[in-house]
Every structure is written in structure tokens, then in C-alpha cells.
Amino acid sequence: MLHHLSIRNIVLIEALDLDFAPGLGVLTGETGAGKSILLDALGLILGMRADSGLVRAGEAAASVTASFEMGALAPDVAETLTDAGVEVEPGEPLIIRRQLKADGGSKAYINDAPVGVALLRELAPFLVEIHGQHDDRGLVNPRGHRALLDRYARVDSTAIEAAWKKWRLAEERLERQRAIIAKAAEDRDLLIAHLEELVALAPQPGEEEELAGERATMQKGERLAGDLSSVQQVFIGSDSPLAELRVAARRLDRIAGEHPLLEEVLAALDRAMIEADDAEDKLNRALDALAFDPLALDRVETRLFELRAAARKHACAVEDLPQKAADMRIALNAIEGGEAEVAALEQAAAEAGRVWRALAEAARAARTEAAGRLDAAVKGELAPLKLDAARFRTAVTPLEQGQWGAGGMDRVEFMIATNPGADFAPLAKIASGGELSRFILALKVALAEEGGAATMIFDEIDRGVGGAVAQAIGERLARLAGVGGGANGGQLLAVTHSPQVAARGTQHYFIAKSSDGIVTRTGVVQLDGAGRQEEIARMLSGAEITPEARAQADRLLEGV
């Protein structure tokens, strides 16, 4: 629930810090004092479109910060925050900050992490529910009516959703298998022919790389054959340079003892011949490695061509040809054994469908029964709220099969008729602003606050009414907020002009506008007991507060 609100430079508000508590908080003040500014500021926190006109005149920027006590985060909220990269420790507050610039643009933060405004709008239904003269969300939106009725009826919507997902998954698996079999059956003959070709070709893993290496080596040998042959002549034949060198060494061996230098010459020749022998050995090995065999090269190139042609034919890499053959076998096996698998999938899908239908039909019965109870409960709340001529109906309408979904097979919408004999229609299309707010209050009380945000705000719900009706509104607001031992304690804020409603508040905030002749400011103060008596007396009597008004204010305060 809302714990703290800090506003800086929003319209007439220069600086304002407010603390809120559980229960019913009332906001009062003269017309034009700036109550709507507070709601606009809170709207920014909830993702409302940023309007640079909200920035106080003469200021470059404005900001609003709200702190919410979350307690245990609902799974949906926790998941939404986690997906957005926002960390919230259990028990820690959720602090949302929105900044506006006078020249346009805005930024949003949650716990100091920058976020998009769309995230604020996504979180808004969990944080604050505002019902006012132009409300188009909350209970007015029929998209949430089924969930509210399900909570009221104690329908396990989670089980219905899980069963629906299981049914959809089973149907998708069935359709996929049918499509595989149908496609494979169409291509059966072609599959058999292609598989026979690949079996005959028998591609092996790594074969292309190995063949390409062999071909490159043989092609290199063909290119180097002439040069290597010329080099080889140095080593072979009786008239080769190496042979002549050996003859020279033998002659020197006979005369080397005649002079020391000749011995050195002989030693050098011996070393040269040893190196020459080593060179000859390596040359011979290189000749063997690079041996060029035209027939072998032709065989290698033919094999490479066959493998690569098959890869192009099947739109894959040569390395993937063995897997392609395995896939073809699987496809053919699917044709042969697919019917049995389809039968099993059909049975699983049918069983999943039966489970979902059973849950959905049970939900329909529960919804229909709960709708009658809810209608009766709302009817009991209408007369005290000066809506005694109105009628309320919870319409549970069966959906066409094509519209079934995770929520069941029904559409739920809250309908009203404000005049005798008038047709029922959606809430937003019939009720005026004041009537709409009172309808929503009646429905909220009847639902015993099933679902909804932790904080509710009613903006001038008592517009145009007074006396007993205002008294009834105040009683229901207090009941809804959990005042006086209510079972559904929460937080409710009411912007009101009614002293009967104001007297019911557990916190009372007074909004006033002041001016020094140059600058106009709006301020808010939380009233103590004496301040409450004075403000309620003002609301009763007008500009001049009389002793009678103060006495009446005391009676209203004592009666709550």
C-alpha cells in the first residue's frame, strides 16, 4: 500500500511530503484548492502520459516519488520486476520515481533502476486503483470481470489455465506429428530414391577433408615434378656432381698425409658427403610423398565431385550427408510407424480436452451460482446509495468454441440498468460519473474486495449527494477500508466534499491554496482532532463557521 508521496514542482505544488497509513484517508479542501494535482502527480507514478504543462511555472523540472509497502510480492509482480531487471528484497518498499522536464520528456525509476513507463502502467493495477469521474479502468473494464467473479466464486482459475495449456500442447504435438506424416507420405518415393543414393554413396565423417588434402598433395607433386627430377640428377648417375665429389674424396684419401691442409680438405669433403647423403634421403622421401599418379588423382577428384554434388542436391554440407541419410530413415520410419503414434497423441489430446472441459463446465456452474449471489449483494447496497431504481446483473455468457481459452468457456461482464424498464448495458456506457463511482463502491463492498490493488482512491464519489446517502457512502468506504473491525483491512483514500464521509476517515488531509500576491502555492497538511473538527464544521456551514456547525461536526465525529 501507499506509504509515502513526495512531490516537487508539480503545477502549484512547490514541495510536498505526505505519509499515509492503512485505513480510510480523506482529502478535503475548497473547490480549486488543488486536489486534482495530487491525483495527477500520483498518475505519473502509475504510468500516465507525461505532460510538460505539469511542471511548475519557472522551473526546469519536476518529480514525484512514491513509496509502496509491498509485503510478500505477488508472483506476477515479482516476475514482472525481475524481467525488467529490478531487484526488490522481501519486505523492502517499492520506490517509484518519475521526473519531468519543462522542455518535454520524462524518466522513470524503480528502486533507482531506470525503467520504461510501460512497466509503470503494467504495475499500476497491483498498486493503486483510482475510481473517479472519468474512470475507464478497474471495475469498468470488462477484461477483469471474469477474474473478480472467479475469486468471489472460489473458482480455481489457475487449474483451468494449466489444463488449457496442457490441452493446447497436446493438440500442437498431434498436429505436428500429422504434418510430419503427411509431408513424409507425399515424398515417400522420393525419400526412398534419395536414401538409396546416399546408402550407395556411403559418405563418411571427415571424408571430404581427407580427400581434399590428398588431391592438393598430388596436384602439388604434379606441379613440382620437373624441378624435383632436375634436383635428383645431382645425386644419381656415375657422372653426377655427387659421384665426382666421391671420386675426388678417394683420391685425396691417398695423398692427404702429404700435407696438413689436404687432411682438412678431406675432412670437409667427408662432411659434405654426409650432408649430401642426408639431403638425398630426404629428397627421396619427398618424391615418394609427392608422387603423382594420374589414376589416383582421378579417383580422388571423382569421389569429391560425387560427395559435393550430393551435398548440393540435399542443400547441406558434405559433412552433414550421413545425418541427412539418418533423417530420411527417420522420416520413412515415421510413415510406417506414425499411425500408431498419431493414435496415441489423439488419445492424449482427447483426454486433456476432457479434463479442461470438466474444469471449465464446473467453473461455469460456479460462476452462474456466484453471479446470482453477487447480484443480490450489490442490489442490497444500491438503495442506500441513492441508486434504488437501478439494477445490476452479472452476465455469464457462453463463448463460441473458437473463443475458448485459458479462462474457460464463458465471458463475464458486469451490466447495469439505471432506470426502470431500461435495457442492461456495460457500466461505462450508462452510468454518469457520480453514479459510476457509487456503483463501483457497491460492487467493491459486495465483492468484499476480492482482488484489486492494495490502495484504492475514490475521487468525489459523493458528488451531488448529501445527507443519508453521503452517510451511507462514508459507512461503506470505512467498511471497505477495514475501519471498525472490518475483515478486509486495507488502504482507501477518498477525495470528498461531504462532511459525513470526511468524519469516517482515520487520517484527514486538508488541501489549501495560498498566495502572497506573486506566487500561488498548494499545500497539504494532516489534521489533528481539533483541525478535523474545524474542517468538518467548515464543510457543514461554508465560509463562516458557526457554533452550530462545530457542534454538528462533533456529533459526526462521535458517531463513527
Side-chain angles (χ1 to χ4, degrees), residues 374-427:
L374 180 59
D375 293 350
V378 173
K379 181 180 179 181
E381 298 292 334
L382 294 180
L385 296 174
K386 202 178 179 181
L387 295 169
D388 47 311
R391 292 169 293 148
F392 175 86
R393 184 176 72 187
T394 305
V396 181
T397 308
L399 295 170
E400 296 292 333
Q401 186 168 343
Q403 297 176 304
W404 291 355
M409 53 177 66
D410 310 303
R411 183 176 187 273
V412 175
E413 185 169 7
F414 300 143
M415 314 285 284
I416 61 170
T418 54
N419 298 304
D423 292 333
F424 282 94
L427 283 172

Side-chain angles (χ1 to χ4, degrees), residues 99 102 219 243 260 279 293 303 313 331 339 408 452 460 463 475 484 505:
Q99 293 179 328
Q219 287 175 335
D293 182 353
R303 178 65 175 173
K313 182 176 183 177
E339 292 303 324
E460 299 188 356
R463 178 186 289 269
E475 290 173 356

Side-chain angles (χ1 to χ4, degrees), residues 74-150:
D76 290 347
V77 178
E79 183 178 355
T80 298
L81 291 171
T82 300
D83 291 344
V86 178
E87 296 183 3
V88 181
E89 295 295 330
E92 286 191 355
L94 192 71
I95 301 174
I96 301 177
R97 179 163 49 96
R98 187 90 180 269
Q99 293 179 328
L100 280 72
K101 292 183 178 180
D103 57 0
S106 72
K107 294 181 179 180
Y109 303 86
I110 298 181
N111 288 8
D112 289 330
V115 298
V117 176
L119 179 61
L120 303 188
R121 287 193 291 269
E122 191 174 351
L123 291 174
F126 301 100
L127 301 176
V128 179
E129 191 176 313
I130 300 178
H131 301 291
Q133 299 296 306
H134 306 288
D135 186 17
D136 60 354
R137 297 179 296 178
L139 292 179
V140 177
N141 192 334
R143 284 183 296 181
H145 292 179
R146 183 169 59 199
L148 284 169
L149 182 62
D150 282 353

